Amino acid sequence: MKKAYLFLLPVMLFISTILSAQAGYINTIAGDGIAGFAGDGQPATNSKIDTMGFTAVDDSGNVYIADAQNNRIRKIYAATGVMATIAGNGTPGWTGDYGSATLAELYYPFGICVDHNRNIYFTDNGNGVIRRIDQSTGIITKFAGTGNGGNTGNGGKADTATFDDATGITVDAAGNVYVADDIGSCVRKINISDSIISLYAGNNIHGYNGDGGQATAAELNNPLGISMDKNGNLYIVEWKEFTVRKVDASGVINEFAGIPGNNTYTTASGPSATSIPMGSPTGVSCDKFGNVYIADAGNSVIRQINGITGYDYVIAGSPNIGFSGDGGPAVNAELNYPFTVSVDTNFNLYIGDLLNFRIRKVNGGPTAVPEISASGNFAIYPNPANSTLNIQFSGTYSNGENNIEIIDLMGRTVSTYQKNVKPNSTFSTDISNLANGMYFIKISNTTAYSVLKFIKE
């Protein structure tokens, strides 16, 4: 049963000033880069982690790690930065239910999630069960599974069901729990009210089909990480198909990101997440605005998919694989098989940098946006605009090559053009793919730049 997966706001901005440029910067918050176990009770940056599974974060920014090879669940306390074991005594096995979680035996804990009451659920992969840690008492119990292999029990109580290979796990707003079964090629739901387990996606056949229909009739190709957004949409990473699929609240499944069967190496961003291949997606997480974050482990980058437009941004990681970049922009950093990503309520990202044996954090919130200028170098119309934005340059504007950027309120460049500009000329750009909202247009050359704001409606 055990596997070592080494393949495995709305915020109103005062836009007349430059905001902090620290947002989007990356730093290590746990792990010293050497595989092992050490550091409990100390700053997490002094700790050792070994072959982590997934991570989770609660509403206060505490981070939870399925430290799989160490057979422990560990926690980084947001207030102090200290690392602690909260479940598992390090010995592989299955003992301790109904007692203190720190005295229990675990066997390769892999997936992990936290509900709104901070109860912790994790897939105890080597034991073939789902276990729960009560946040108020620290007591551990079996939540689902018998410990036997298989994929049985739908329609009955979850504690009588079997799992082939329970991997990812997530929870919805009501507290219902969803479990991905890698070998079983399905996702199952456990109702929190009555503990009944049922098939939610996948028909237990390895493959890739069924888009546009009910998820329970579709084939999945080894589901791994899963995440639920605030609207009840479930995102499923199919690591062997190199895709992420979405099951909407009505139960219909569709492709969401990646190209089925295509793992061409790329660290590109682009306007359509379904047209950019992923090397080996593994983890997925959602923020409160519906944006989706994907750990593209095979390309050693973290991607953000805009929940409205589908635009695919690389927001952490670079074309180089390794370990570097702490203290600088996340897009310039080197990662080494980032297996998992989690996002907190302040849009901070937590990356399980698997082969660097570290947890790294990317500061969230708005990034640096350019100061609005009033130089009269150019004008834009119409404003608000729907599909086309026209840029009219003044009669005094100098000839030459200019860079034209459209920047969103998070400070991200969503499109860019090179244009040979002449005085009194007009340039039109298609903005139909942009989500509704406020943007900046920045035009720069080798000596100066000008910025105006516009509304896309």
Side-chain angles (χ1 to χ4, degrees):
M1 183 87 56
K2 169 181 167 183
K3 282 189 178 181
Y5 283 90
L6 288 179
F7 52 79
L8 343 300
L9 286 209
V11 173
M12 295 305 295
L13 303 176
F14 291 97
I15 57 177
S16 61
T17 58
I18 298 177
L19 303 183
S20 169
Q22 287 300 307
Y25 278 42
I26 192 169
N27 283 288
T28 294
I29 63 166
D32 65 2
I34 301 172
F37 174 75
D40 277 359
Q42 301 178 29
T45 49
N46 296 336
S47 67
K48 296 184 187 298
I49 306 166
D50 195 349
T51 314
M52 73 188 84
F54 288 108
T55 59
V57 60
D58 66 24
D59 290 342
S60 295
N62 302 302
V63 181
Y64 303 82
I65 308 165
D67 195 351
Q69 198 67 40
N70 284 320
N71 300 299
R72 290 175 166 92
I73 302 296
R74 301 172 82 183
K75 178 178 179 179
I76 307 169
Y77 288 87
T80 62
V82 168
M83 175 80 88
T85 292
I86 60 170
N89 62 15
T91 301
W94 183 12
T95 64
D97 282 345
Y98 303 102
S100 173
T102 56
L103 302 178
E105 292 179 350
L106 317 180
Y107 191 17
Y108 211 78
F110 193 71
I112 188 167
C113 66
V114 184
D115 70 15
H116 292 298
N117 295 316
R118 297 192 188 177
N119 301 304
I120 300 163
Y121 298 85
F122 65 94
T123 59
D124 198 353
N125 184 271
N127 286 319
V129 295
I130 314 303
R131 297 171 86 176
R132 179 184 185 272
I133 306 168
D134 185 281
Q135 70 87 21
S136 62
T137 65
I139 299 297
I140 190 171
T141 53
K142 186 188 78 165
F143 179 72
T146 64
N148 297 318
N151 198 271
T152 62
N154 289 334
K157 294 290 186 179
D159 63 357
T160 64
T162 60
F163 297 90
D164 277 318
D165 188 19
T167 50
I169 188 169
T170 194
V171 63
D172 66 20
N176 303 305
V177 177
Y178 302 77
V179 182
D181 194 320
D182 178 31
I183 293 176
S185 284
C186 67
V187 176
R188 299 160 84 183
K189 176 182 178 180
I190 303 169
N191 286 331
I192 198 65
S193 60
D194 57 12
S195 297
I196 297 297
I197 190 169
S198 59
L199 187 66
Y200 194 78
N203 60 7
N204 303 125
I205 299 173
H206 294 289
Y208 188 92
N209 67 32
D211 281 353
Q214 286 296 302
T216 51
E219 294 178 358
L220 305 182
N221 202 346
N222 296 87
L224 196 55
I226 57 175
S227 184
M228 181 74 71
D229 73 13
K230 65 183 180 67
N231 295 317
N233 301 304
L234 181 71
Y235 299 86
I236 306 169
V237 175
E238 294 178 71
W239 67 271
K240 282 193 175 179
E241 198 65 44
F242 318 115
T243 59
V244 175
R245 292 165 90 182
K246 173 183 175 180
V247 180
D248 67 21
S250 68
V252 174
I253 191 169
N254 278 293
E255 181 188 356
F256 178 76
I259 301 172
N262 185 341
N263 66 337
T264 302
Y265 177 81
T266 180
T267 57
S269 297
S272 173
T274 55
S275 63
I276 298 177
M278 291 187 286
S280 181
T282 47
V284 62
S285 187
C286 305
D287 70 24
K288 61 186 178 183
F289 286 162
N291 301 306
V292 180
Y293 302 81
I294 300 171
D296 186 357
N299 286 321
S300 285
V301 297
I302 303 298
R303 299 182 176 276
Q304 182 201 57
I305 313 301
N306 185 289
I308 298 173
T309 67
Y311 202 105
D312 183 333
Y313 308 88
V314 169
I315 59 171
S318 68
N320 299 315
I321 298 171
F323 175 74
S324 71
D326 275 1
V331 292
N332 295 336
E334 293 179 352
L335 308 177
N336 194 351
Y337 211 83
F339 186 76
T340 176
V341 62
S342 301
V343 58
D344 68 18
T345 55
N346 293 316
F347 306 97
N348 300 301
L349 298 183
Y350 303 87
I351 302 169
D353 200 354
L354 181 66
L355 296 184
N356 282 320
F357 303 100
R358 291 174 166 93
I359 305 293
R360 300 171 81 179
K361 178 181 178 180
V362 180
N363 291 347
T367 54
V369 297
E371 185 175 1
I372 297 297
S373 61
S375 65
N377 285 332
F378 68 93
I380 53 177
Y381 66 92
N383 191 7
N386 179 263
S387 59
T388 301
L389 184 71
N390 302 299
I391 309 161
Q392 183 174 353
F393 297 93
S394 71
T396 59
Y397 202 89
S398 58
N399 285 308
E401 193 76 12
N402 279 252
N403 189 52
I404 301 172
E405 299 174 76
I406 295 178
I407 301 166
D408 68 12
L409 279 179
M410 296 292 285
R412 299 169 301 208
T413 298
V414 297
S415 60
T416 184
Y417 310 88
Q418 296 291 325
K419 184 70 176 176
N420 194 336
V421 173
K422 297 179 180 180
N424 289 319
S425 63
T426 299
F427 171 66
S428 299
T429 182
D430 182 7
I431 60 169
S432 58
N433 287 332
L434 297 181
N436 293 347
M438 183 180 291
Y439 294 85
F440 306 90
I441 186 158
K442 176 182 176 182
I443 302 180
S444 57
N445 51 40
T446 57
T447 60
Y449 74 86
S450 299
V451 178
L452 292 178
K453 63 181 178 180
F454 70 94
I455 303 295
K456 164 65 167 61
E457 65 176 13

